[in-house]
Amino acid sequence: MSQYFRVGDQILWNPSSGVAGLFMRSAEALAPETGLPTGLGPMESDECEIDPATFAVFVSALVERYERSNHPILHSLMDGFIATALVLVERSGAELSPPDTNDTTWKDVQVSEHSEWPLDRQLHEIDRWAALSARHARAMPWPGPQSTP
């Protein structure tokens, strides 16, 4: 059995029910980190309607939250959800919001002799997100872009 994530008539993803449920619960668990709505509607009749603009703002805020920390466990807990969400943002045709470059606040910073620092990380994070979301996209079933008659 599977479920559908869609924007209007366009199907963005058709995962198994277990994976869909975990994705929905993960979004709700991460929402307090942003203070924003997720943009994911309820799962009704095996379908979840996504508000692409709201979802893109939510995902942008998660990426920004991630980037302002160097805590490896926080990163590990957020990696999979963000990569999957980036694929859905792309498939919906929405775009991520640019980061607030005026806010340089770091949260959950772990300091040790092995810590990475912002400039080192920023140089490779865009490529890392692109590679991770591309890997996820290959594993996320969908019928491809559809046109509505």
Side-chain angles (χ1 to χ4, degrees):
M1 181 136 188
S2 62
Q3 298 181 322
Y4 295 88
F5 289 84
R6 60 177 55 234
V7 173
D9 290 336
Q10 182 180 1
I11 297 168
L12 304 181
W13 184 30
N14 179 224
S16 68
S17 297
V19 171
L22 181 58
F23 182 79
M24 296 285 287
R25 290 187 305 274
S26 296
E28 290 304 317
L30 290 167
E33 292 298 315
T34 67
L36 298 169
T38 66
L40 298 173
M43 187 62 73
E44 295 175 339
S45 301
D46 293 329
E47 295 185 352
C48 171
E49 182 70 24
I50 297 176
D51 177 324
T54 303
F55 187 65
V57 169
F58 171 65
V59 175
S60 294
L62 284 176
V63 170
E64 194 168 331
R65 171 70 175 95
Y66 181 103
E67 297 300 335
R68 292 196 177 160
S69 172
N70 71 346
H71 199 288
I73 302 303
L74 177 73
H75 287 180
S76 179
L77 292 169
M78 295 176 78
D79 272 336
F81 180 85
I82 290 174
T84 304
L86 288 171
V87 174
L88 294 177
V89 169
E90 180 181 351
R91 288 179 181 177
S92 76
E95 293 185 10
L96 296 183
S97 306
D100 179 1
T101 55
N102 293 324
D103 184 356
T104 58
T105 306
W106 276 69
K107 298 178 180 171
D108 298 321
V109 175
Q110 182 170 326
V111 179
S112 76
E113 64 186 82
H114 304 291
S115 295
E116 293 182 57
W117 289 99
L119 293 177
D120 297 332
R121 285 197 20 243
Q122 288 173 347
L123 296 175
H124 83 303
E125 284 303 319
I126 292 173
D127 288 339
R128 193 184 77 75
W129 281 124
L132 189 56
S133 65
R135 192 177 94 209
H136 278 235
R138 288 189 297 275
M140 292 171 65
W142 76 307
Q146 309 110 32
S147 58
T148 307

